[in-house]
Structure formats: structure tokens, C-alpha cells
Amino acid sequence: YAVVMQPEFGWSTAIFATAFSAQQAASGLLGPFQGWLLQRFGPQRIIRVGLVVFAIGLVMLSQVHGLALFFAAVLIAAFGASLGGFLSTNTTTVNWFIRHRSMALALIQVGISAGGLIAPVIAWSLTMYGWRFTAMASAVLVLAIGLPLTRIIRNRPEDIGLTPDGDKVGDQQILNEKPQTEFGAREALRTRAFWFISLGHALALTVVSAVLAHLVLYLTQEKGFSLALGASMVAVLTASTVVGQISGGLLGYRVEKRLIAIAAMFGHSGALCMLVFGGSLPWIIAFAILHGLSWGLRAPIMQALRADYFGRHSFGQVLGLASPLITSGMVAGPLIVGLLADKSGSFQPGFLVVASLAALGSIFFIFTYPP
């Protein structure tokens, strides 16, 4: 959207970076309240409300003629996407699985990543029909596809007479399992693990958000590639993320999750160095593959690690309380790259800064242990 809106309105790169960061900040600040809402009303109602609010934000985006309405649309869409998306779906998944949690969370992340696979379709629609039509059509699809799917969502298996992982009540496998420690939200806040996981997660997301906000602009404006090729790189990145997510789900059974997170942080950092210092198309493809694999490996592991450490009873509130800190990374990444790009005329200095932050973030996972 930024690629086609920027020449029409003449807004700077920093404005779009600020809008992206404001979107992430809004979602993060909503987190603690959303965690309480999920505990109080269950995910089905919250996701339905979120999808409607998200669609309203997209409709508003299609009517933008100035900065005020643009930022209002971005923020409303962010609130809706947050209520209907990540925190709500992950909380539900954690409630339904214990032994198969890593793979279940990985498959949920695959669903989220599938959205990135339609980037070439979005680019085609933006080019052929314009950004206003594309935003309005997206709003219709959100409601037509999303709302019917909410009928199958339930908060916990116990609510409908089932047990986690599909086991039968009294199954010998359940009896042989070690009871899981359950932390309340306030108890979790008093542990070092809560803060170290959140800080490491935040630094990882500085890279993720910086790439989401600026990759296509970098490839088209600074490297001279076409919008279609930029969108194709998003698709390559997303496909690699899906492979990483499935791999993370499988490895989560066999390898200490903390070690997977450490390796992924170095992968993020190394991938951005490829993007900056490589320059040619093969290096850009290598960046997209490595960054996607690192993102995919790390994403489900973050939630599985929290659930392993703090239990599932208050998981929504624990993740919700971590959201403002986690989201600080989503906010900082686009701003760092956008502001340095406006000042230096290149996206590269900002990319190198967030690559350094990702490497630094590995330290928090190195020293994270079960509370």
C-alpha cells in the first residue's frame, strides 16, 4: 500500500513507518485488556468483534484523503486485527494442547503466514484496480470468510466434555504425565523468565517489523526492482516462514525450545546482513529464505515456551501482559529504519541497527530458564 500511496499523497517514508508503528503500539497496549476479555468472555465472541472492527478499518482506509483519516483507519484496523488474531488464536490453541502444543501453535502460525502468500495478488490488485478498491474488497473478504469460521472456536476442551490433545478421560497416558505447573498472571510477572522471554521476543520483532514495513520500499526505491518482484520476495519469505514453522513444531518435541530461539535470533541478524551487503538478486533471495526460516522456527516456540513455563490456565493474561513490551519491538523496528532512511537517504543503516539488536536479543534466551 505504501508503494502506491506515497506518490499520490507525497508523504515521507517516516510517515508510513510511524503509521505502521502506531498500528503495532495500539495492538500491544490492547494486550493486557484483551487477555482479561478472553478470560471473561471466551475467544469466539472476541474474535467475532475483532473481525468486524478490522473490516471497518479497511473500509475507512479505502476512503482516505488525508493524514487524519489515514491514521484513524490504521489504528481501528489494528484494534480489530488484534482482537481477531494473534493473541486470541494462540490463547485458544494453548488451551487445547499440551503434548502437541508446539506443532499446534506452528500450524496456527502457518495460517497467519498464508496471508503473506497472497502478496502478489494484492500487488496485482493495487496495480490493476487501485488501493481504494483493494482495501474495500479486503474488508468484504474478512467478513465473508472470517465470521463463518468463528463458529467452530471454543475456549477449552473441558467446556465441551473433552480433554487436551484429544485424550480420553482416564487415559493411562494422561495419568503418567507430570502435572504441569500453573502460574497466575501476577505470579508470572515476578519471574525473571517472563521478562527475559518478553525482551528477547521484542528484539526479534524489531527485525520482523522493519522488514514488513520497508522491504518492498527498499527493493523498489533503493535497489530499482519492480513492485512485482518485491511482492514475489515477500512470497518467498512467507513460504520459507511456513517451512520454518512446521520445522519448529517438529523440533519443539525433540530440542530444547530455548536453543531454537537462540539460533533463530542469529539467523535474523545474519539474514539482514545478507540483504544489506549482498545487494544482488541471489543475495536477496538468500535473505528471504534465511529470515523466513528464522521467523518460522522462532514464532511458535515463543508461545510454547511461555505455556511450558507458566501453564495454560492464565496463558491469555500472561501473554496479554507481555504484549506492551513485545510490541515495543514492533514499534521500534520501522521507526529506526524509516528515520535513518530519511536522514541518510538509504535503508541500509537502519537495517544494520536492527540486525545488531537481534543478535543482542539472543542473550536473553541464553539466560532464560524455567521459573
Side-chain angles (χ1 to χ4, degrees), residues 71-156:
F71 274 95
V74 163
L75 290 173
I76 289 174
F79 282 126
S82 181
L83 290 171
F86 177 79
L87 178 55
S88 298
T89 54
N90 276 267
T91 298
T92 309
T93 307
V94 164
N95 286 339
W96 276 80
F97 296 94
I98 297 176
R99 285 184 293 108
H100 300 297
R101 181 176 288 151
S102 294
M103 180 54 74
L105 287 167
L107 292 174
I108 289 293
Q109 294 290 333
V110 168
I112 295 172
S113 297
L117 294 176
I118 66 168
V121 179
I122 296 295
W124 171 81
S125 180
L126 290 168
T127 303
M128 293 295 297
Y129 301 107
W131 58 271
R132 296 186 189 276
F133 171 85
T134 304
M136 182 67 75
S138 298
V140 173
L141 289 173
V142 163
L143 297 177
I145 298 174
L147 284 179
L149 289 174
T150 62
R151 296 179 61 186
I152 66 170
I153 296 173
R154 297 292 185 273
N155 186 25
R156 300 173 188 274

Side-chain angles (χ1 to χ4, degrees), residues 1-19 61 64-67 70 126 130-132 213-222 227 334 337-339 341-343 345-347:
Y1 276 82
V3 171
V4 293
M5 292 178 75
Q6 191 170 37
E8 180 172 337
F9 292 105
W11 296 334
S12 69
T13 302
I15 285 178
F16 287 100
T18 302
L61 180 63
V64 164
H65 291 282
L67 272 177
F70 174 66
L126 290 168
W131 58 271
R132 296 186 189 276
H214 297 297
L215 177 62
V216 177
L217 287 172
Y218 172 66
L219 293 178
T220 55
Q221 293 181 1
E222 189 165 334
L227 176 59
V337 177
L339 291 172
D342 284 342
K343 185 175 181 179
S346 172
F347 289 92

